[in-house]
Amino acid sequence: MNSEILLSINLQQQLFVDPKRVRLLQAIQQFGSINQAAKNCKISYKSAWDHLENMNSISPKPLLDRNTGGKNGGGTMLTSYALRLLQLYDLLAKTQQKAFDILQDEEIELTSLLSATAKFSLQSSARNQLFGKIINLHQQNSHCLVEIAVDNLALPLYVSITQKSAVRLQLVLGKEVILMIKAPWLKLHEQQSNEINCFPSKVQAISEDQEEISIKLGNTIECYASVTQGHNYQLNQEIWCSIEPEQIILVTL
Protein backbone atom coordinates (compact mmCIF):
# COMPACT_ATOMS: atom_id res chain seq x y z
CA MET A 1 0.00 0.00 0.00
CA ASN A 2 1.35 3.41 -0.99
CA SER A 3 1.32 5.81 1.94
CA GLU A 4 2.93 9.11 2.85
CA ILE A 5 4.10 9.49 6.43
CA LEU A 6 5.57 12.92 7.25
CA LEU A 7 7.97 12.68 10.17
CA SER A 8 8.65 15.68 12.40
CA ILE A 9 10.95 15.85 15.42
CA ASN A 10 10.53 18.44 18.17
CA LEU A 11 13.13 19.55 20.69
CA GLN A 12 12.36 21.79 23.65
CA GLN A 13 8.74 21.91 22.42
CA GLN A 14 9.91 23.48 19.16
CA LEU A 15 10.14 22.08 15.64
CA PHE A 16 13.61 20.69 15.03
CA VAL A 17 13.40 18.81 11.74
CA ASP A 18 10.65 17.96 9.28
CA PRO A 19 10.67 16.90 5.60
CA LYS A 20 11.23 20.49 4.39
CA ARG A 21 14.21 21.06 6.68
CA VAL A 22 15.66 17.65 5.84
CA ARG A 23 15.52 18.48 2.12
CA LEU A 24 17.34 21.75 2.87
CA LEU A 25 20.11 19.95 4.76
CA GLN A 26 20.40 17.37 1.99
CA ALA A 27 20.73 20.17 -0.58
CA ILE A 28 23.47 21.86 1.48
CA GLN A 29 25.26 18.52 1.60
CA GLN A 30 24.99 18.27 -2.19
CA PHE A 31 25.88 21.84 -3.20
CA GLY A 32 28.00 23.08 -0.29
CA SER A 33 26.12 26.38 -0.41
CA ILE A 34 23.08 27.72 1.43
CA ASN A 35 22.22 29.92 -1.53
CA GLN A 36 22.29 27.01 -4.01
CA ALA A 37 20.44 24.80 -1.56
CA ALA A 38 17.69 27.39 -1.18
CA LYS A 39 17.30 27.63 -4.97
CA ASN A 40 17.17 23.85 -5.25
CA CYS A 41 14.45 23.72 -2.58
CA LYS A 42 12.61 26.62 -4.26
CA ILE A 43 12.65 28.83 -1.19
CA SER A 44 14.23 32.23 -0.54
CA TYR A 45 17.68 32.59 0.97
CA LYS A 46 16.11 34.32 4.00
CA SER A 47 13.66 31.46 4.51
CA ALA A 48 16.49 28.92 4.30
CA TRP A 49 18.61 30.93 6.72
CA ASP A 50 15.70 31.25 9.18
CA HIS A 51 15.16 27.47 9.12
CA LEU A 52 18.84 26.85 9.77
CA GLU A 53 19.02 29.41 12.56
CA ASN A 54 15.96 27.91 14.27
CA MET A 55 17.46 24.43 14.03
CA ASN A 56 20.86 25.49 15.32
CA SER A 57 19.36 27.37 18.24
CA ILE A 58 17.94 24.17 19.75
CA SER A 59 20.33 21.58 18.33
CA PRO A 60 22.54 19.81 20.92
CA LYS A 61 25.48 20.22 18.51
CA PRO A 62 26.25 22.56 15.56
CA LEU A 63 24.77 21.52 12.22
CA LEU A 64 26.81 23.71 9.85
CA ASP A 65 30.49 24.27 9.23
CA ARG A 66 30.95 27.52 7.31
CA ASN A 67 34.12 28.50 5.47
CA THR A 68 34.36 32.13 4.31
CA GLY A 69 36.60 33.37 1.52
CA GLY A 70 39.43 31.25 0.26
CA LYS A 71 40.38 30.11 -3.22
CA ASN A 72 36.90 28.83 -4.08
CA GLY A 73 34.96 31.58 -2.32
CA GLY A 74 34.14 29.55 0.78
CA GLY A 75 31.01 27.50 1.35
CA THR A 76 28.86 25.67 3.88
CA MET A 77 29.22 22.04 4.85
CA LEU A 78 27.25 19.83 7.19
CA THR A 79 28.90 18.79 10.43
CA SER A 80 29.26 15.11 11.29
CA TYR A 81 26.33 15.56 13.70
CA ALA A 82 24.11 16.90 10.89
CA LEU A 83 25.09 13.98 8.65
CA ARG A 84 24.16 11.54 11.43
CA LEU A 85 20.88 13.41 11.87
CA LEU A 86 20.04 12.82 8.19
CA GLN A 87 20.88 9.13 8.55
CA LEU A 88 18.73 8.84 11.67
CA TYR A 89 15.83 10.62 9.98
CA ASP A 90 16.01 8.18 7.07
CA LEU A 91 15.98 5.22 9.47
CA LEU A 92 13.02 6.63 11.41
CA ALA A 93 11.09 7.25 8.19
CA LYS A 94 11.68 3.65 7.04
CA THR A 95 10.69 2.35 10.47
CA GLN A 96 7.46 4.34 10.40
CA GLN A 97 6.60 2.94 6.99
CA LYS A 98 7.32 -0.61 8.17
CA ALA A 99 5.15 -0.03 11.23
CA PHE A 100 2.29 1.15 9.04
CA ASP A 101 2.71 -1.89 6.77
CA ILE A 102 2.01 -4.32 9.62
CA LEU A 103 -1.37 -2.67 10.09
CA GLN A 104 -2.48 -4.60 7.01
CA ASP A 105 -1.57 -7.98 8.52
CA GLU A 106 -4.14 -8.78 11.19
CA GLU A 107 -2.16 -11.86 12.28
CA ILE A 108 0.54 -9.62 13.77
CA GLU A 109 -0.26 -8.59 17.33
CA LEU A 110 0.36 -4.95 18.17
CA THR A 111 0.52 -5.40 21.93
CA SER A 112 4.28 -6.09 21.97
CA LEU A 113 6.92 -3.81 20.47
CA LEU A 114 9.42 -6.68 20.29
CA SER A 115 7.16 -9.14 18.47
CA ALA A 116 5.84 -6.48 16.08
CA THR A 117 9.37 -5.30 15.29
CA ALA A 118 10.52 -8.86 14.69
CA LYS A 119 7.68 -9.48 12.24
CA PHE A 120 8.40 -6.53 9.97
CA SER A 121 12.16 -6.07 10.23
CA LEU A 122 14.01 -8.97 11.83
CA GLN A 123 15.42 -11.58 9.44
CA SER A 124 17.35 -14.64 10.57
CA SER A 125 18.48 -18.02 9.30
CA ALA A 126 17.05 -19.54 12.48
CA ARG A 127 13.60 -20.75 11.40
CA ASN A 128 12.30 -21.30 14.91
CA GLN A 129 11.52 -18.02 16.66
CA LEU A 130 9.63 -18.11 19.95
CA PHE A 131 8.45 -15.15 22.02
CA GLY A 132 8.42 -14.99 25.78
CA LYS A 133 9.15 -13.09 29.00
CA ILE A 134 11.88 -13.62 31.57
CA ILE A 135 10.51 -15.05 34.81
CA ASN A 136 13.76 -15.88 36.59
CA LEU A 137 17.53 -15.41 36.38
CA HIS A 138 19.75 -18.06 37.93
CA GLN A 139 23.39 -17.09 38.49
CA GLN A 140 25.84 -19.93 37.78
CA ASN A 141 29.43 -18.70 38.23
CA SER A 142 30.30 -16.98 34.93
CA HIS A 143 27.01 -18.02 33.32
CA CYS A 144 23.37 -17.09 33.74
CA LEU A 145 20.51 -19.55 33.31
CA VAL A 146 17.55 -17.53 32.04
CA GLU A 147 14.10 -18.98 32.74
CA ILE A 148 11.57 -17.84 30.14
CA ALA A 149 7.81 -18.23 29.96
CA VAL A 150 7.11 -18.80 26.26
CA ASP A 151 3.78 -17.90 24.71
CA ASN A 152 1.54 -20.99 24.33
CA LEU A 153 4.07 -23.30 25.99
CA ALA A 154 3.03 -24.93 29.27
CA LEU A 155 6.55 -25.22 30.72
CA PRO A 156 9.30 -22.58 30.74
CA LEU A 157 12.35 -22.75 28.51
CA TYR A 158 15.84 -22.36 29.96
CA VAL A 159 18.59 -20.50 28.10
CA SER A 160 22.23 -20.47 29.19
CA ILE A 161 24.30 -17.37 28.38
CA THR A 162 27.33 -15.70 29.91
CA GLN A 163 26.98 -13.15 32.69
CA LYS A 164 28.49 -10.55 30.38
CA SER A 165 25.81 -11.24 27.77
CA ALA A 166 23.08 -10.98 30.41
CA VAL A 167 24.42 -7.55 31.43
CA ARG A 168 24.82 -6.41 27.82
CA LEU A 169 21.23 -7.43 27.01
CA GLN A 170 20.06 -5.74 30.24
CA LEU A 171 18.05 -8.80 31.20
CA VAL A 172 15.54 -8.24 34.01
CA LEU A 173 12.40 -10.03 35.18
CA GLY A 174 9.46 -9.39 32.87
CA LYS A 175 11.56 -8.35 29.87
CA GLU A 176 10.35 -9.55 26.47
CA VAL A 177 12.75 -11.71 24.48
CA ILE A 178 12.89 -13.71 21.26
CA LEU A 179 14.38 -17.20 21.35
CA MET A 180 16.00 -18.23 18.06
CA ILE A 181 16.66 -21.91 17.49
CA LYS A 182 18.01 -23.46 14.29
CA ALA A 183 16.38 -26.67 13.08
CA PRO A 184 19.47 -28.89 13.74
CA TRP A 185 19.47 -27.73 17.38
CA LEU A 186 16.18 -29.50 18.13
CA LYS A 187 16.83 -33.05 19.32
CA LEU A 188 14.11 -35.62 18.66
CA HIS A 189 13.40 -38.60 20.92
CA GLU A 190 10.86 -41.40 20.75
CA GLN A 191 10.72 -41.49 24.55
CA GLN A 192 10.87 -38.78 27.19
CA SER A 193 14.39 -37.67 28.00
CA ASN A 194 15.76 -36.45 31.31
CA GLU A 195 17.37 -33.51 29.52
CA ILE A 196 16.33 -29.99 30.41
CA ASN A 197 13.91 -28.32 27.96
CA CYS A 198 12.23 -31.57 26.93
CA PHE A 199 8.69 -31.23 25.57
CA PRO A 200 6.05 -33.57 24.15
CA SER A 201 5.59 -33.00 20.41
CA LYS A 202 3.70 -34.31 17.41
CA VAL A 203 4.86 -34.67 13.79
CA GLN A 204 2.87 -32.34 11.52
CA ALA A 205 4.70 -32.57 8.18
CA ILE A 206 7.67 -34.36 6.63
CA SER A 207 9.84 -32.93 3.86
CA GLU A 208 10.11 -34.89 0.60
CA ASP A 209 13.75 -35.76 1.27
CA GLN A 210 12.76 -36.72 4.85
CA GLU A 211 15.60 -34.59 6.21
CA GLU A 212 13.33 -32.18 8.07
CA ILE A 213 10.00 -32.39 9.86
CA SER A 214 7.53 -29.88 11.18
CA ILE A 215 6.39 -30.54 14.73
CA LYS A 216 4.03 -29.07 17.27
CA LEU A 217 6.26 -28.26 20.22
CA GLY A 218 4.32 -28.86 23.39
CA ASN A 219 1.42 -29.64 21.02
CA THR A 220 0.92 -25.90 20.42
CA ILE A 221 3.92 -24.22 18.73
CA GLU A 222 4.99 -25.09 15.19
CA CYS A 223 8.73 -25.71 14.89
CA TYR A 224 11.12 -27.23 12.37
CA ALA A 225 13.63 -29.93 13.25
CA SER A 226 16.32 -31.72 11.26
CA VAL A 227 16.10 -35.50 11.08
CA THR A 228 19.23 -37.53 11.77
CA GLN A 229 20.06 -40.31 9.34
CA GLY A 230 18.36 -43.62 10.05
CA HIS A 231 15.27 -42.15 11.75
CA ASN A 232 11.90 -42.46 10.07
CA TYR A 233 8.97 -40.50 11.44
CA GLN A 234 5.29 -40.74 10.58
CA LEU A 235 2.62 -38.07 10.39
CA ASN A 236 0.87 -37.46 13.73
CA GLN A 237 3.50 -39.53 15.52
CA GLU A 238 3.92 -38.44 19.13
CA ILE A 239 7.56 -37.81 20.00
CA TRP A 240 9.66 -35.75 22.42
CA CYS A 241 11.81 -32.78 21.56
CA SER A 242 14.64 -31.33 23.65
CA ILE A 243 16.72 -28.19 23.24
CA GLU A 244 20.03 -27.60 24.97
CA PRO A 245 20.06 -24.28 26.88
CA GLU A 246 23.38 -23.34 25.22
CA GLN A 247 21.87 -23.73 21.74
CA ILE A 248 19.29 -20.97 22.01
CA ILE A 249 20.01 -17.41 20.90
CA LEU A 250 18.36 -14.62 22.87
CA VAL A 251 17.29 -11.40 21.13
CA THR A 252 15.74 -8.33 22.73
CA LEU A 253 15.39 -4.60 22.22
Side-chain angles (χ1 to χ4, degrees):
M1 174 179 292
N2 293 326
S3 59
E4 184 179 19
I5 302 175
L6 303 179
L7 173 63
S8 296
I9 301 176
N10 288 6
L11 291 179
Q12 303 176 29
Q13 298 182 329
Q14 300 179 59
L15 177 63
F16 182 41
V17 290
D18 62 2
K20 182 183 293 185
R21 291 181 173 182
V22 165
R23 285 194 295 271
L24 178 60
L25 291 176
Q26 290 171 335
I28 292 174
Q29 180 186 11
Q30 179 181 357
F31 297 104
S33 163
I34 297 177
N35 186 42
Q36 288 297 320
K39 291 179 179 179
N40 181 265
C41 295
K42 298 181 180 179
I43 59 176
S44 67
Y45 180 85
K46 181 180 184 306
S47 178
W49 183 252
D50 287 343
H51 280 300
L52 295 170
E53 280 287 285
N54 291 335
M55 294 176 68
N56 266 314
S57 67
I58 59 175
S59 175
K61 295 182 180 181
L63 300 173
L64 303 177
D65 185 7
R66 303 194 69 193
N67 296 317
T68 58
K71 181 179 178 180
N72 298 317
T76 302
M77 305 296 293
L78 297 185
T79 64
S80 60
Y81 181 78
L83 292 173
R84 284 179 57 81
L85 176 62
L86 290 180
Q87 291 176 323
L88 175 64
Y89 189 91
D90 182 59
L91 287 176
L92 290 174
K94 290 177 179 177
T95 300
Q96 280 198 141
Q97 182 60 56
K98 289 284 190 179
F100 184 77
D101 290 343
I102 70 172
L103 179 64
Q104 318 309 319
D105 189 344
E106 296 185 1
E107 293 184 0
I108 299 178
E109 294 185 6
L110 300 180
T111 55
S112 166
L113 175 62
L114 180 61
S115 60
T117 301
K119 292 294 185 181
F120 70 71
S121 62
L122 191 63
Q123 302 295 324
S124 169
S125 61
R127 298 182 66 187
N128 302 310
Q129 298 182 13
L130 313 180
F131 296 86
K133 289 184 179 180
I134 297 174
I135 57 176
N136 215 332
L137 296 167
H138 307 275
Q139 311 301 327
Q140 298 179 333
N141 297 323
S142 62
H143 282 72
C144 179
L145 189 64
V146 187
E147 186 176 350
I148 302 170
V150 176
D151 298 346
N152 300 318
L153 198 59
L155 298 175
L157 263 170
Y158 292 88
V159 181
S160 179
I161 61 175
T162 64
Q163 290 281 12
K164 290 183 178 180
S165 292
V167 172
R168 181 173 54 83
L169 294 174
Q170 299 180 339
L171 300 186
V172 294
L173 299 185
K175 187 164 190 174
E176 291 185 316
V177 292
I178 301 176
L179 300 87
M180 292 188 172
I181 311 165
K182 300 186 71 172
W185 297 349
L186 273 66
K187 294 183 178 180
L188 304 177
H189 315 271
E190 294 187 2
Q191 296 181 347
Q192 185 175 6
S193 167
N194 291 327
E195 295 183 47
I196 195 172
N197 293 340
C198 188
F199 302 91
S201 307
K202 180 179 290 188
V203 178
Q204 298 294 301
I206 304 172
S207 64
E208 291 185 3
D209 56 14
Q210 296 187 346
E211 293 183 354
E212 184 178 84
I213 63 173
S214 167
I215 64 173
K216 285 289 186 180
L217 185 66
N219 297 320
T220 56
I221 303 174
E222 183 176 12
C223 287
Y224 298 91
S226 298
V227 177
T228 56
Q229 191 173 11
H231 287 79
N232 295 313
Y233 295 99
Q234 306 297 321
L235 289 178
N236 297 319
Q237 181 180 349
E238 294 184 351
I239 57 177
W240 291 83
C241 175
S242 63
I243 311 163
E244 293 185 8
E246 295 82 7
Q247 291 191 309
I248 302 176
I249 298 173
L250 276 188
V251 179
T252 188
L253 293 178

Short mmCIF file of all heavy atoms in Angstrom, two decimals, residues 9 17 22 26 31 50-52 55 67 74 94 100 124-125 136-137 141 162 167 225 227 238 247 250:
data_model
loop_
_atom_site.label_atom_id
_atom_site.label_comp_id
_atom_site.label_asym_id
_atom_site.label_seq_id
_atom_site.Cartn_x
_atom_site.Cartn_y
_atom_site.Cartn_z
N ILE A 9 10.31 16.04 14.13
CA ILE A 9 10.95 15.85 15.42
C ILE A 9 11.01 17.19 16.14
O ILE A 9 11.50 18.18 15.57
CB ILE A 9 12.38 15.28 15.26
CG1 ILE A 9 12.35 13.93 14.53
CG2 ILE A 9 13.06 15.14 16.62
CD1 ILE A 9 13.72 13.36 14.24
N VAL A 17 13.30 19.20 13.15
CA VAL A 17 13.40 18.81 11.74
C VAL A 17 12.06 18.28 11.25
O VAL A 17 11.28 17.70 12.01
CB VAL A 17 14.48 17.73 11.50
CG1 VAL A 17 15.87 18.31 11.70
CG2 VAL A 17 14.27 16.52 12.37
N VAL A 22 14.77 18.74 6.25
CA VAL A 22 15.66 17.65 5.84
C VAL A 22 16.10 17.85 4.39
O VAL A 22 17.27 17.68 4.05
CB VAL A 22 14.96 16.28 6.02
CG1 VAL A 22 15.72 15.18 5.26
CG2 VAL A 22 14.88 15.92 7.49
N GLN A 26 19.90 18.25 3.05
CA GLN A 26 20.40 17.37 1.99
C GLN A 26 20.95 18.19 0.82
O GLN A 26 21.97 17.83 0.21
CB GLN A 26 19.29 16.44 1.50
CG GLN A 26 18.91 15.38 2.52
CD GLN A 26 17.66 14.60 2.12
OE1 GLN A 26 16.82 15.11 1.36
NE2 GLN A 26 17.53 13.38 2.63
N PHE A 31 25.33 20.67 -2.50
CA PHE A 31 25.88 21.84 -3.20
C PHE A 31 26.96 22.58 -2.41
O PHE A 31 27.72 23.36 -2.98
CB PHE A 31 24.76 22.82 -3.56
CG PHE A 31 23.74 22.26 -4.51
CD1 PHE A 31 22.49 21.87 -4.06
CD2 PHE A 31 24.04 22.09 -5.85
CE1 PHE A 31 21.56 21.35 -4.93
CE2 PHE A 31 23.11 21.58 -6.74
CZ PHE A 31 21.87 21.19 -6.27
N ASP A 50 16.54 31.28 7.99
CA ASP A 50 15.70 31.25 9.18
C ASP A 50 15.52 29.81 9.67
O ASP A 50 15.57 29.55 10.88
CB ASP A 50 14.33 31.87 8.89
CG ASP A 50 14.40 33.39 8.76
OD1 ASP A 50 15.41 33.97 9.20
OD2 ASP A 50 13.44 33.98 8.21
N HIS A 51 15.29 28.89 8.74
CA HIS A 51 15.16 27.47 9.12
C HIS A 51 16.43 26.98 9.80
O HIS A 51 16.37 26.31 10.85
CB HIS A 51 14.88 26.60 7.89
CG HIS A 51 13.44 26.61 7.45
ND1 HIS A 51 12.42 26.20 8.26
CD2 HIS A 51 12.87 26.97 6.26
CE1 HIS A 51 11.26 26.30 7.60
NE2 HIS A 51 11.52 26.77 6.39
N LEU A 52 17.57 27.31 9.23
CA LEU A 52 18.84 26.85 9.77
C LEU A 52 19.12 27.46 11.13
O LEU A 52 19.62 26.79 12.04
CB LEU A 52 19.97 27.17 8.79
CG LEU A 52 19.89 26.42 7.45
CD1 LEU A 52 20.91 26.99 6.46
CD2 LEU A 52 20.12 24.92 7.64
N MET A 55 16.95 25.76 13.72
CA MET A 55 17.46 24.43 14.03
C MET A 55 18.69 24.51 14.93
O MET A 55 18.80 23.79 15.93
CB MET A 55 17.79 23.67 12.74
CG MET A 55 16.59 23.35 11.87
SD MET A 55 17.08 22.57 10.31
CE MET A 55 17.68 21.00 10.89
N ASN A 67 32.80 28.01 5.85
CA ASN A 67 34.12 28.50 5.47
C ASN A 67 33.95 29.75 4.62
O ASN A 67 33.28 29.71 3.57
CB ASN A 67 34.90 27.45 4.68
CG ASN A 67 35.18 26.21 5.51
OD1 ASN A 67 35.54 26.31 6.67
ND2 ASN A 67 34.98 25.04 4.90
N GLY A 74 34.77 30.05 -0.43
CA GLY A 74 34.14 29.55 0.78
C GLY A 74 32.92 28.68 0.48
O GLY A 74 32.62 28.35 -0.66
N LYS A 94 11.86 5.04 7.49
CA LYS A 94 11.68 3.65 7.04
C LYS A 94 10.97 2.83 8.11
O LYS A 94 10.11 1.99 7.79
CB LYS A 94 13.02 3.04 6.70
CG LYS A 94 13.67 3.62 5.45
CD LYS A 94 15.04 3.01 5.21
CE LYS A 94 15.68 3.58 3.94
NZ LYS A 94 17.04 3.05 3.72
N PHE A 100 3.59 0.99 9.67
CA PHE A 100 2.29 1.15 9.04
C PHE A 100 1.93 -0.08 8.20
O PHE A 100 0.77 -0.48 8.13
CB PHE A 100 2.29 2.40 8.15
CG PHE A 100 0.95 2.69 7.52
CD1 PHE A 100 -0.07 3.27 8.26
CD2 PHE A 100 0.70 2.38 6.19
CE1 PHE A 100 -1.30 3.53 7.68
CE2 PHE A 100 -0.53 2.63 5.61
CZ PHE A 100 -1.54 3.21 6.36
N SER A 124 16.34 -13.75 9.99
CA SER A 124 17.35 -14.64 10.57
C SER A 124 17.29 -15.99 9.87
O SER A 124 16.24 -16.39 9.35
CB SER A 124 17.09 -14.82 12.07
OG SER A 124 17.88 -15.85 12.60
N SER A 125 18.44 -16.66 9.87
CA SER A 125 18.48 -18.02 9.30
C SER A 125 17.88 -19.04 10.25
O SER A 125 17.61 -20.17 9.86
CB SER A 125 19.94 -18.40 8.98
OG SER A 125 20.72 -18.40 10.16
N ASN A 136 12.76 -15.65 35.56
CA ASN A 136 13.76 -15.88 36.59
C ASN A 136 15.15 -15.84 35.97
O ASN A 136 15.33 -16.16 34.79
CB ASN A 136 13.56 -17.22 37.30
CG ASN A 136 13.92 -17.14 38.77
OD1 ASN A 136 14.76 -16.34 39.17
ND2 ASN A 136 13.28 -17.99 39.56
N LEU A 137 16.13 -15.44 36.79
CA LEU A 137 17.53 -15.41 36.38
C LEU A 137 18.35 -16.15 37.43
O LEU A 137 18.38 -15.75 38.59
CB LEU A 137 18.02 -13.96 36.24
CG LEU A 137 17.35 -13.12 35.15
CD1 LEU A 137 17.69 -11.65 35.34
CD2 LEU A 137 17.78 -13.58 33.76
N ASN A 141 28.03 -19.11 38.44
CA ASN A 141 29.43 -18.70 38.23
C ASN A 141 29.50 -17.64 37.12
O ASN A 141 28.93 -16.58 37.26
CB ASN A 141 30.31 -19.92 37.92
CG ASN A 141 30.35 -20.89 39.08
OD1 ASN A 141 30.36 -20.49 40.24
ND2 ASN A 141 30.35 -22.18 38.78
N THR A 162 26.32 -16.18 28.97
CA THR A 162 27.33 -15.70 29.91
C THR A 162 26.77 -14.53 30.72
O THR A 162 25.82 -13.87 30.31
CB THR A 162 28.59 -15.23 29.18
OG1 THR A 162 28.26 -14.12 28.35
CG2 THR A 162 29.18 -16.35 28.33
N VAL A 167 24.28 -8.98 31.12
CA VAL A 167 24.42 -7.55 31.43
C VAL A 167 24.26 -6.72 30.17
O VAL A 167 23.57 -5.68 30.16
CB VAL A 167 25.79 -7.29 32.09
CG1 VAL A 167 26.02 -5.78 32.24
CG2 VAL A 167 25.87 -7.97 33.45
N ALA A 225 12.52 -29.17 12.70
CA ALA A 225 13.63 -29.93 13.25
C ALA A 225 14.28 -30.77 12.16
O ALA A 225 13.60 -31.30 11.27
CB ALA A 225 13.15 -30.83 14.39
N VAL A 227 16.20 -34.08 10.77
CA VAL A 227 16.10 -35.50 11.08
C VAL A 227 17.46 -36.16 10.88
O VAL A 227 18.08 -36.01 9.82
CB VAL A 227 15.06 -36.19 10.19
CG1 VAL A 227 15.02 -37.70 10.46
CG2 VAL A 227 13.69 -35.57 10.40
N GLU A 238 3.61 -39.17 17.91
CA GLU A 238 3.92 -38.44 19.13
C GLU A 238 5.36 -38.73 19.53
O GLU A 238 5.74 -39.91 19.68
CB GLU A 238 2.96 -38.82 20.24
CG GLU A 238 1.52 -38.39 19.96
CD GLU A 238 0.59 -38.68 21.11
OE1 GLU A 238 1.02 -39.38 22.05
OE2 GLU A 238 -0.57 -38.21 21.07
N GLN A 247 22.12 -23.83 23.16
CA GLN A 247 21.87 -23.73 21.74
C GLN A 247 20.60 -22.93 21.44
O GLN A 247 19.82 -23.27 20.54
CB GLN A 247 21.82 -25.12 21.10
CG GLN A 247 23.18 -25.79 21.11
CD GLN A 247 23.20 -27.04 20.26
OE1 GLN A 247 22.36 -27.92 20.40
NE2 GLN A 247 24.19 -27.13 19.37
N LEU A 250 19.30 -15.60 22.32
CA LEU A 250 18.36 -14.62 22.87
C LEU A 250 18.48 -13.29 22.13
O LEU A 250 19.58 -12.80 21.89
CB LEU A 250 18.62 -14.37 24.36
CG LEU A 250 18.02 -15.33 25.38
CD1 LEU A 250 18.23 -14.80 26.78
CD2 LEU A 250 16.53 -15.54 25.12
#
